Amino acid sequence: MSQTFGRFEKLLRLGEGKRVKRLAEQAAYITSLEPQFESLSDEELRGKSAEFRLRIENGESLDDVLYEAFAAVREARKRESGQRLFDVQLMGGMALHFGWVAEMKTGEGKTLVSTLPAYLNGLGGNDTFVFRAGQANGERDAEWNRPVFDRLDVTVGFIENMMSFDRRRAAYECDITYGTNSEFGFDYLRDNMAVSLEGCVQRGHTFAIVDE
């Protein structure tokens, strides 16, 4: 039994190694786009989101614009705060977009990483939730990342306790919404008890990131 399990574990690790290698190759390609995005003016960089949205509306998938979208976030982050996302952080962002679990050590920039798939999925016109542990963390991250998303013409909101219906609904209408699991969960339950769509705050449940 232990011998069989050992073979199975080796197979799992082999598959993981191939995925990591593929992510590294994709991150290297995003880095090759860096000079192109560095040459853009602030207005041209901001206009990239409109370009990406149009391409998605015309039938391209999120994966089709992933490399350029990640390159845009990296450039916006550099211009806003001087922080340059490393290739390993690009790899973590792609893993989250693909629905995988990305484990990173403390100090490796998990919150920075989450902005990459959040931006990409926010381009699709659907809801994108970022779950944070604690209301203060959600508000802090939303405000900290807002200038970067502003540079890319992407709207950001956050959910907090005791918000009015109108403010809560407005937060969900943003491209990216930060909040806690309890707030997202209770809003889901309340929406299911609403007697009409006008009484709902959430637009749907397309993509979510758990930032822990």
Side-chain angles (χ1 to χ4, degrees), residues 3-19:
Q3 186 176 9
T4 301
F5 181 77
R7 293 192 188 124
F8 180 63
E9 186 178 20
K10 287 180 181 178
L11 286 173
L12 288 177
R13 288 180 176 175
L14 177 63
E16 180 180 320
K18 288 181 178 179
R19 285 196 290 183

PDB file of all heavy atoms in Angstrom, residues 3-19:
ATOM      1  N   GLN A   3       3.926   1.510  -0.974  1.00  0.00           N
ATOM      2  CA  GLN A   3       4.666   1.601  -2.230  1.00  0.00           C
ATOM      3  C   GLN A   3       3.787   2.207  -3.327  1.00  0.00           C
ATOM      4  O   GLN A   3       4.225   3.047  -4.123  1.00  0.00           O
ATOM      5  CB  GLN A   3       5.148   0.217  -2.647  1.00  0.00           C
ATOM      6  CG  GLN A   3       6.054   0.240  -3.872  1.00  0.00           C
ATOM      7  CD  GLN A   3       6.589  -1.141  -4.209  1.00  0.00           C
ATOM      8  OE1 GLN A   3       6.158  -2.136  -3.643  1.00  0.00           O
ATOM      9  NE2 GLN A   3       7.530  -1.209  -5.136  1.00  0.00           N
ATOM     10  N   THR A   4       2.496   1.791  -3.343  1.00  0.00           N
ATOM     11  CA  THR A   4       1.558   2.335  -4.335  1.00  0.00           C
ATOM     12  C   THR A   4       1.346   3.818  -4.116  1.00  0.00           C
ATOM     13  O   THR A   4       1.322   4.611  -5.073  1.00  0.00           O
ATOM     14  CB  THR A   4       0.203   1.608  -4.223  1.00  0.00           C
ATOM     15  OG1 THR A   4       0.408   0.220  -4.438  1.00  0.00           O
ATOM     16  CG2 THR A   4      -0.774   2.140  -5.262  1.00  0.00           C
ATOM     17  N   PHE A   5       1.199   4.205  -2.849  1.00  0.00           N
ATOM     18  CA  PHE A   5       1.007   5.613  -2.542  1.00  0.00           C
ATOM     19  C   PHE A   5       2.228   6.425  -2.944  1.00  0.00           C
ATOM     20  O   PHE A   5       2.113   7.552  -3.436  1.00  0.00           O
ATOM     21  CB  PHE A   5       0.729   5.805  -1.044  1.00  0.00           C
ATOM     22  CG  PHE A   5       0.503   7.236  -0.662  1.00  0.00           C
ATOM     23  CD1 PHE A   5      -0.707   7.864  -0.934  1.00  0.00           C
ATOM     24  CD2 PHE A   5       1.509   7.977  -0.061  1.00  0.00           C
ATOM     25  CE1 PHE A   5      -0.918   9.198  -0.599  1.00  0.00           C
ATOM     26  CE2 PHE A   5       1.314   9.304   0.272  1.00  0.00           C
ATOM     27  CZ  PHE A   5       0.090   9.911   0.008  1.00  0.00           C
ATOM     28  N   GLY A   6       3.423   5.845  -2.772  1.00  0.00           N
ATOM     29  CA  GLY A   6       4.651   6.537  -3.144  1.00  0.00           C
ATOM     30  C   GLY A   6       4.703   6.817  -4.629  1.00  0.00           C
ATOM     31  O   GLY A   6       5.104   7.901  -5.059  1.00  0.00           O
ATOM     32  N   ARG A   7       4.263   5.859  -5.448  1.00  0.00           N
ATOM     33  CA  ARG A   7       4.228   6.071  -6.891  1.00  0.00           C
ATOM     34  C   ARG A   7       3.232   7.162  -7.259  1.00  0.00           C
ATOM     35  O   ARG A   7       3.485   7.992  -8.126  1.00  0.00           O
ATOM     36  CB  ARG A   7       3.835   4.760  -7.602  1.00  0.00           C
ATOM     37  CG  ARG A   7       4.874   3.658  -7.496  1.00  0.00           C
ATOM     38  CD  ARG A   7       4.536   2.536  -8.452  1.00  0.00           C
ATOM     39  NE  ARG A   7       5.418   1.401  -8.233  1.00  0.00           N
ATOM     40  CZ  ARG A   7       5.015   0.171  -7.963  1.00  0.00           C
ATOM     41  NH1 ARG A   7       3.716  -0.069  -7.851  1.00  0.00           N
ATOM     42  NH2 ARG A   7       5.873  -0.812  -7.805  1.00  0.00           N
ATOM     43  N   PHE A   8       2.071   7.150  -6.583  1.00  0.00           N
ATOM     44  CA  PHE A   8       1.031   8.149  -6.847  1.00  0.00           C
ATOM     45  C   PHE A   8       1.540   9.548  -6.498  1.00  0.00           C
ATOM     46  O   PHE A   8       1.319  10.504  -7.237  1.00  0.00           O
ATOM     47  CB  PHE A   8      -0.214   7.816  -6.027  1.00  0.00           C
ATOM     48  CG  PHE A   8      -1.347   8.790  -6.217  1.00  0.00           C
ATOM     49  CD1 PHE A   8      -1.957   8.944  -7.456  1.00  0.00           C
ATOM     50  CD2 PHE A   8      -1.816   9.556  -5.158  1.00  0.00           C
ATOM     51  CE1 PHE A   8      -2.993   9.836  -7.637  1.00  0.00           C
ATOM     52  CE2 PHE A   8      -2.848  10.449  -5.330  1.00  0.00           C
ATOM     53  CZ  PHE A   8      -3.445  10.578  -6.574  1.00  0.00           C
ATOM     54  N   GLU A   9       2.259   9.651  -5.373  1.00  0.00           N
ATOM     55  CA  GLU A   9       2.795  10.945  -4.955  1.00  0.00           C
ATOM     56  C   GLU A   9       3.806  11.468  -5.970  1.00  0.00           C
ATOM     57  O   GLU A   9       3.844  12.656  -6.283  1.00  0.00           O
ATOM     58  CB  GLU A   9       3.454  10.810  -3.581  1.00  0.00           C
ATOM     59  CG  GLU A   9       3.910  12.140  -2.990  1.00  0.00           C
ATOM     60  CD  GLU A   9       4.514  11.973  -1.604  1.00  0.00           C
ATOM     61  OE1 GLU A   9       4.928  10.849  -1.271  1.00  0.00           O
ATOM     62  OE2 GLU A   9       4.579  12.968  -0.869  1.00  0.00           O
ATOM     63  N   LYS A  10       4.625  10.543  -6.527  1.00  0.00           N
ATOM     64  CA  LYS A  10       5.597  10.953  -7.540  1.00  0.00           C
ATOM     65  C   LYS A  10       4.905  11.483  -8.783  1.00  0.00           C
ATOM     66  O   LYS A  10       5.346  12.448  -9.402  1.00  0.00           O
ATOM     67  CB  LYS A  10       6.494   9.767  -7.909  1.00  0.00           C
ATOM     68  CG  LYS A  10       7.506   9.402  -6.839  1.00  0.00           C
ATOM     69  CD  LYS A  10       8.356   8.219  -7.269  1.00  0.00           C
ATOM     70  CE  LYS A  10       9.359   7.845  -6.178  1.00  0.00           C
ATOM     71  NZ  LYS A  10      10.172   6.665  -6.562  1.00  0.00           N
ATOM     72  N   LEU A  11       3.795  10.843  -9.158  1.00  0.00           N
ATOM     73  CA  LEU A  11       3.034  11.303 -10.322  1.00  0.00           C
ATOM     74  C   LEU A  11       2.467  12.693 -10.089  1.00  0.00           C
ATOM     75  O   LEU A  11       2.471  13.548 -10.983  1.00  0.00           O
ATOM     76  CB  LEU A  11       1.893  10.314 -10.633  1.00  0.00           C
ATOM     77  CG  LEU A  11       2.296   8.988 -11.272  1.00  0.00           C
ATOM     78  CD1 LEU A  11       1.084   8.057 -11.354  1.00  0.00           C
ATOM     79  CD2 LEU A  11       2.861   9.217 -12.664  1.00  0.00           C
ATOM     80  N   LEU A  12       1.962  12.934  -8.869  1.00  0.00           N
ATOM     81  CA  LEU A  12       1.429  14.249  -8.541  1.00  0.00           C
ATOM     82  C   LEU A  12       2.517  15.318  -8.631  1.00  0.00           C
ATOM     83  O   LEU A  12       2.302  16.396  -9.181  1.00  0.00           O
ATOM     84  CB  LEU A  12       0.816  14.240  -7.138  1.00  0.00           C
ATOM     85  CG  LEU A  12      -0.505  13.491  -6.962  1.00  0.00           C
ATOM     86  CD1 LEU A  12      -0.919  13.521  -5.502  1.00  0.00           C
ATOM     87  CD2 LEU A  12      -1.603  14.086  -7.830  1.00  0.00           C
ATOM     88  N   ARG A  13       3.687  14.982  -8.093  1.00  0.00           N
ATOM     89  CA  ARG A  13       4.777  15.949  -8.115  1.00  0.00           C
ATOM     90  C   ARG A  13       5.271  16.198  -9.532  1.00  0.00           C
ATOM     91  O   ARG A  13       5.672  17.310  -9.875  1.00  0.00           O
ATOM     92  CB  ARG A  13       5.920  15.456  -7.230  1.00  0.00           C
ATOM     93  CG  ARG A  13       5.604  15.530  -5.743  1.00  0.00           C
ATOM     94  CD  ARG A  13       6.742  15.039  -4.890  1.00  0.00           C
ATOM     95  NE  ARG A  13       6.456  15.208  -3.473  1.00  0.00           N
ATOM     96  CZ  ARG A  13       7.244  14.766  -2.498  1.00  0.00           C
ATOM     97  NH1 ARG A  13       8.368  14.126  -2.799  1.00  0.00           N
ATOM     98  NH2 ARG A  13       6.918  14.951  -1.240  1.00  0.00           N
ATOM     99  N   LEU A  14       5.241  15.137 -10.370  1.00  0.00           N
ATOM    100  CA  LEU A  14       5.646  15.293 -11.761  1.00  0.00           C
ATOM    101  C   LEU A  14       4.717  16.268 -12.472  1.00  0.00           C
ATOM    102  O   LEU A  14       5.155  17.162 -13.192  1.00  0.00           O
ATOM    103  CB  LEU A  14       5.619  13.933 -12.465  1.00  0.00           C
ATOM    104  CG  LEU A  14       5.956  13.941 -13.962  1.00  0.00           C
ATOM    105  CD1 LEU A  14       7.388  14.426 -14.169  1.00  0.00           C
ATOM    106  CD2 LEU A  14       5.785  12.539 -14.552  1.00  0.00           C
ATOM    107  N   GLY A  15       3.398  16.135 -12.247  1.00  0.00           N
ATOM    108  CA  GLY A  15       2.432  17.042 -12.857  1.00  0.00           C
ATOM    109  C   GLY A  15       2.605  18.456 -12.356  1.00  0.00           C
ATOM    110  O   GLY A  15       2.497  19.419 -13.120  1.00  0.00           O
ATOM    111  N   GLU A  16       2.899  18.593 -11.071  1.00  0.00           N
ATOM    112  CA  GLU A  16       3.102  19.914 -10.488  1.00  0.00           C
ATOM    113  C   GLU A  16       4.324  20.582 -11.095  1.00  0.00           C
ATOM    114  O   GLU A  16       4.307  21.779 -11.413  1.00  0.00           O
ATOM    115  CB  GLU A  16       3.268  19.790  -8.970  1.00  0.00           C
ATOM    116  CG  GLU A  16       3.481  21.115  -8.250  1.00  0.00           C
ATOM    117  CD  GLU A  16       3.641  20.928  -6.760  1.00  0.00           C
ATOM    118  OE1 GLU A  16       2.915  20.096  -6.190  1.00  0.00           O
ATOM    119  OE2 GLU A  16       4.494  21.617  -6.172  1.00  0.00           O
ATOM    120  N   GLY A  17       5.381  19.804 -11.295  1.00  0.00           N
ATOM    121  CA  GLY A  17       6.599  20.352 -11.883  1.00  0.00           C
ATOM    122  C   GLY A  17       6.371  20.869 -13.292  1.00  0.00           C
ATOM    123  O   GLY A  17       6.899  21.919 -13.673  1.00  0.00           O
ATOM    124  N   LYS A  18       5.586  20.153 -14.062  1.00  0.00           N
ATOM    125  CA  LYS A  18       5.279  20.583 -15.427  1.00  0.00           C
ATOM    126  C   LYS A  18       4.476  21.883 -15.421  1.00  0.00           C
ATOM    127  O   LYS A  18       4.695  22.769 -16.249  1.00  0.00           O
ATOM    128  CB  LYS A  18       4.499  19.488 -16.159  1.00  0.00           C
ATOM    129  CG  LYS A  18       5.338  18.264 -16.521  1.00  0.00           C
ATOM    130  CD  LYS A  18       4.500  17.234 -17.265  1.00  0.00           C
ATOM    131  CE  LYS A  18       5.349  16.037 -17.676  1.00  0.00           C
ATOM    132  NZ  LYS A  18       4.552  15.000 -18.379  1.00  0.00           N
ATOM    133  N   ARG A  19       3.546  21.986 -14.477  1.00  0.00           N
ATOM    134  CA  ARG A  19       2.735  23.206 -14.401  1.00  0.00           C
ATOM    135  C   ARG A  19       3.580  24.398 -14.005  1.00  0.00           C
ATOM    136  O   ARG A  19       3.423  25.492 -14.541  1.00  0.00           O
ATOM    137  CB  ARG A  19       1.572  23.009 -13.420  1.00  0.00           C
ATOM    138  CG  ARG A  19       0.455  22.140 -13.984  1.00  0.00           C
ATOM    139  CD  ARG A  19      -0.813  22.266 -13.188  1.00  0.00           C
ATOM    140  NE  ARG A  19      -0.698  21.660 -11.870  1.00  0.00           N
ATOM    141  CZ  ARG A  19      -1.697  21.578 -10.992  1.00  0.00           C
ATOM    142  NH1 ARG A  19      -2.884  22.087 -11.291  1.00  0.00           N
ATOM    143  NH2 ARG A  19      -1.523  21.012  -9.828  1.00  0.00           N
TER     144      ARG A  19
END
